[in-house]
Amino acid sequence: MGTDANQLGEKGVELRRDAEGLALVGDGMVLRADFARLLPRLRKDRLGRELLVRAARVRGVEAPTAVDATAGLGEDSLLLAAAGFAVTMFEKDPVIAALLRDALERAANEPQLAGVVARMTLVEGDSVAGLRELGFSPDVVFLDPMFPERTKSAAVKKKFQLLHHLERPCDNEDELLDAALAAHPRKIVIKRPPKGPWLAGVKPSHSLAGKAVRYDVIVPPRA
């Protein structure tokens, strides 16, 4: 279940809007979805080296489509959209969806980002159901189930400390992967910790690993 805005006070966080946009505030921290700070990564000389872009790349498709089933603050979707994908994003938590929607609206007014976010569509809802009702077969389904919490809170990035107030690490891995497969994509790309287990115990077709993250790629057999 997602977090209703009325429940935020019980969780020790609140939504605030200021001149810079909508933000989640709590524990002495401020969390705001801000695509402008990712602009350096969107440069052509850097974008092609992004592990996610390399993992998601599909050959012979002029206008590729992707579904980000666990959109969060939309940063991975932004990279995919900058690489030319039309991205459908699912986010089930209404508070996180509000932060993401605010970021999309602000970015649409930024000349350097407007063309990119025009390829991003936000759907507020559960992707497990949404993937089964898409009405089209995407080229890529991207899954980023929240990494399990580490025993030392200092090892968790500050923004994820706030997100943990709203969403917990994925507890329905089998359901999520089954729904991704049901969408009949060309490939499924899964974001994992470098030494983390395979999602739902399913061995990927191949993986791309960096120091901080690993992308497992499942290529389903074509019908």
Side-chain angles (χ1 to χ4, degrees):
M1 293 292 290
T3 305
D4 187 275
N6 294 328
Q7 298 174 307
L8 288 178
E10 300 171 14
K11 295 175 177 289
V13 293
E14 64 175 318
L15 278 174
R16 290 183 194 167
R17 184 177 295 279
D18 57 26
E20 296 181 51
L22 197 64
L24 185 67
V25 180
D27 293 342
M29 295 177 284
V30 177
L31 173 66
R32 193 191 319 271
D34 180 15
F35 293 152
R37 68 179 187 79
L38 294 178
L39 278 170
R41 295 175 64 184
L42 304 188
R43 290 186 350 220
K44 286 186 178 180
D45 61 328
R46 291 186 58 180
L47 187 62
R49 299 202 300 267
E50 290 280 348
L51 284 181
L52 172 58
V53 172
R54 289 169 55 195
R57 189 175 289 130
V58 289
R59 298 183 184 278
V61 179
E62 288 188 14
T65 57
V67 172
D68 184 346
T70 47
L73 297 179
E75 295 181 359
D76 291 315
S77 285
L78 187 75
L79 292 175
L80 291 174
F85 284 84
V87 187
T88 300
M89 304 175 291
F90 284 93
E91 177 49 55
K92 66 181 180 180
D93 187 281
V95 175
I96 297 175
L99 292 169
L100 177 51
R101 188 177 296 108
D102 181 70
L104 290 167
E105 291 171 356
R106 283 184 280 114
N109 294 315
E110 294 286 342
Q112 291 177 286
L113 289 167
V116 177
V117 298
R119 292 192 287 271
M120 298 167 67
T121 302
L122 174 60
V123 178
E124 186 179 324
D126 183 7
S127 61
V128 170
L131 282 165
R132 297 181 182 277
E133 300 167 2
L134 276 179
F136 69 97
S137 295
D139 295 300
V140 175
V141 172
F142 175 61
L143 306 177
D144 178 15
M146 192 179 291
F147 296 169
E149 291 184 82
R150 300 173 177 87
T151 53
K152 296 181 180 179
S153 60
V156 182
K157 287 185 179 180
K158 283 189 175 182
K159 69 177 181 179
F160 292 118
Q161 292 179 38
L162 274 183
L163 286 182
H164 282 160
H165 285 286
L166 305 178
E167 287 189 327
R168 310 307 298 168
C170 180
D171 60 0
N172 62 339
E173 292 186 357
D174 295 281
E175 255 190 304
L176 186 60
L177 185 56
D178 285 347
L181 289 165
H184 304 293
R186 291 173 180 263
K187 62 170 66 172
I188 298 168
V189 178
I190 306 164
K191 189 175 187 177
R192 304 300 287 163
K195 297 182 180 179
W198 299 324
L199 186 72
V202 176
K203 183 179 180 179
S205 306
H206 62 273
S207 299
L208 291 177
K211 291 181 179 179
V213 69
R214 186 184 82 231
Y215 291 98
D216 293 339
V217 181
I218 295 175
V219 181
R222 301 298 288 176

